[in-house]
């Protein structure tokens, strides 16, 4: 699997997480019809990233963090499908914490991509 593919697929991830963190910190939610496809894309991205990292023998910390994000996003798809995220998104503090989580994930993506470039 080429590094370029992983890097190109990361571009939407950066955009998604920057936008989602900003709107979440403003207590705005992503509509389900947009959020569900995004959650699926993110899950697929983390499968591809994890496969790449495994094939290229990256360190255990990076593998564990990528696996954690993969599990979170697969869980997010499930929560979108069964409607649980709609309930959770009505909680103001939850949206703020979600915005912080999105910033942390954005930092992870940027650091990971910089590791793949250098």
């Amino acid at each position: 699997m080429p590094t370029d593919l992983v890097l190109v697929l990361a571009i939407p991830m950066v955009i998604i997480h920057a936008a989602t963190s900003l709107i979440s910190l403003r207590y705005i939610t992503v509509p389900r019809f947009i959020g569900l496809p995004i959650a699926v894309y993110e899950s697929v991205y983390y499968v591809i990233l994890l496969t790449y990292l495994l094939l290229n023998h990256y360190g255990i910390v990076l593998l564990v963090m990528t696996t954690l994000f993969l599990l979170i996003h697969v869980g997010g798809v499930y929560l979108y499908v069964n409607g649980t995220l709609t309930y959770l998104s009505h909680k103001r503090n939850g949206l703020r914490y979600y915005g912080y989580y999105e910033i942390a994930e954005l930092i992870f993506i940027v650091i990971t991509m910089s590791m793949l470039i250098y």
Side-chain angles (χ1 to χ4, degrees), residues 11-94:
I11 294 168
M13 292 291 285
V14 169
I15 295 166
I16 289 166
H17 288 86
T20 306
S21 64
L22 288 174
I23 67 169
S24 294
L25 292 173
R26 293 175 156 227
Y27 306 110
I28 301 170
T29 61
V30 175
R32 187 174 191 264
F33 73 93
I34 296 172
L36 181 57
I38 287 173
V40 171
Y41 178 84
E42 291 176 327
S43 296
V44 170
Y45 169 79
Y46 279 114
V47 167
I48 292 169
L49 178 61
L50 183 60
T51 303
Y52 176 86
L53 296 174
L54 285 167
L55 290 174
N56 291 286
H57 311 288
Y58 277 81
I60 189 73
V61 173
L62 189 56
L63 290 170
V64 168
M65 290 185 69
T66 302
T67 302
L68 178 63
F69 281 120
L70 171 60
L71 293 173
I72 289 168
H73 287 85
V74 169
V77 169
Y78 173 76
L79 293 176
Y80 262 117
V81 169
N82 76 9
T84 303
L85 283 183
T86 302
Y87 168 75
L88 295 174
S89 68
H90 295 315
K91 299 192 181 274
R92 197 164 165 88
N93 281 340

Side-chain angles (χ1 to χ4, degrees), residues 17 100-113:
H17 288 86
Y100 295 142
Y101 162 79
E102 288 289 302
I103 291 169
E105 187 177 353
L106 175 60
I107 292 168
F108 171 78
I109 294 165
V110 170
I111 289 171
T112 302
M113 292 309 102

